[in-house]
Amino acid sequence: MAIKTVLRMGDARLWQRSEPVGRFDTPELHQLLADMRDTMHALNGAGLAAPQIGVGLRVVIFGVQRNERYPDAEGVPDTVLINPLINPLGNSMEEGWEGCLSVPGLRGMVPRHAQIRYQGRDEYGALIDRTVSGFHARVVQHECDHLDGILYPMRIRDFTKFGYNQELFPGREMLDE
Ligand code: NI
């Protein structure tokens, strides 16, 4: 187990554009993913991007089990996504609440493309190619933004819908991405 420190908003490393992964199925890549999984699960996150633990590579993980505690969250398969490419399908945008392990305790209403096709590779280099919508599409867009140095508050349009979990959602536990 190696639970890493998650960088918080304000750390300059979170604003960097990350570099593509060139080699797959290496001990270094598997170690990075083990650290990312341990860290995400320890913090009860829905996703994590490598730059959040200070590694400037285009690697994200995400996954959400369907859970009664989060009735709004659809299940999202556990996924390792490397060197991702996102293509929006259509112009439809949806607003939804997001949190982030790098912005702890806060939540904001963020517009995202309602439907996307995303492509990339897993840790063995196998191709991933999915067309998704809703919460799954939101999580992917949130995580991949981290690879370009973008945190969700930079996409908020209505700052009356940005605040602390306890004030916005009293008594509810929230997932973070
Ligand atoms: Ni995040």
Side-chain angles (χ1 to χ4, degrees):
M1 288 278 285
I3 297 168
K4 299 291 187 180
T5 300
V6 175
L7 307 183
R8 297 199 301 177
M9 186 167 63
D11 189 303
R13 288 170 285 181
L14 291 170
W15 311 133
Q16 304 297 310
R17 186 179 164 82
S18 294
E19 297 292 326
V21 171
R23 294 177 62 218
F24 296 87
D25 199 17
T26 63
E28 295 77 14
L29 184 56
H30 290 302
Q31 184 61 56
L32 169 63
L33 287 162
D35 292 346
M36 289 174 67
R37 286 192 191 94
D38 289 347
T39 304
M40 184 179 86
H41 292 143
L43 298 173
N44 194 28
L48 188 73
Q52 291 182 275
I53 58 168
V55 176
L57 290 172
R58 302 185 80 75
V59 176
V60 304
I61 61 172
F62 50 85
V64 182
Q65 315 311 319
R66 248 187 141 348
N67 186 328
E68 303 171 350
R69 284 157 64 204
Y70 314 111
D72 305 336
E74 306 149 35
V76 178
D78 283 323
T79 302
V80 171
L81 183 63
I82 300 172
N83 300 345
L85 185 68
I86 295 180
N87 282 300
L89 300 177
N91 296 319
S92 173
M93 306 290 286
E94 276 175 4
E95 299 266 349
W97 291 102
E98 295 186 17
C100 181
L101 295 172
S102 294
V103 192
L106 289 152
R107 195 141 295 250
M109 184 68 88
V110 182
R112 298 287 185 187
H113 297 288
Q115 193 179 30
I116 61 169
R117 177 184 182 187
Y118 70 91
Q119 295 160 288
R121 294 185 183 273
D122 71 10
E123 64 267 54
Y124 302 99
L127 280 167
I128 294 170
D129 186 344
R130 293 176 181 157
T131 296
V132 301
S133 58
F135 184 63
H136 188 158
R138 175 171 300 279
V139 170
V140 173
Q141 289 170 85
H142 176 114
E143 295 312 328
C144 292
D145 262 357
H146 280 293
L147 306 180
D148 294 326
I150 298 168
L151 298 182
Y152 81 80
M154 297 157 77
R155 295 198 181 275
I156 292 173
R157 292 175 180 159
D158 177 357
F159 282 92
T160 69
K161 296 204 170 60
F162 181 46
Y164 291 94
N165 287 332
Q166 288 175 357
E167 277 69 17
L168 288 166
F169 304 101
R172 276 183 64 185
E173 287 184 71
M174 307 301 295
L175 278 173
D176 285 317
E177 294 102 30

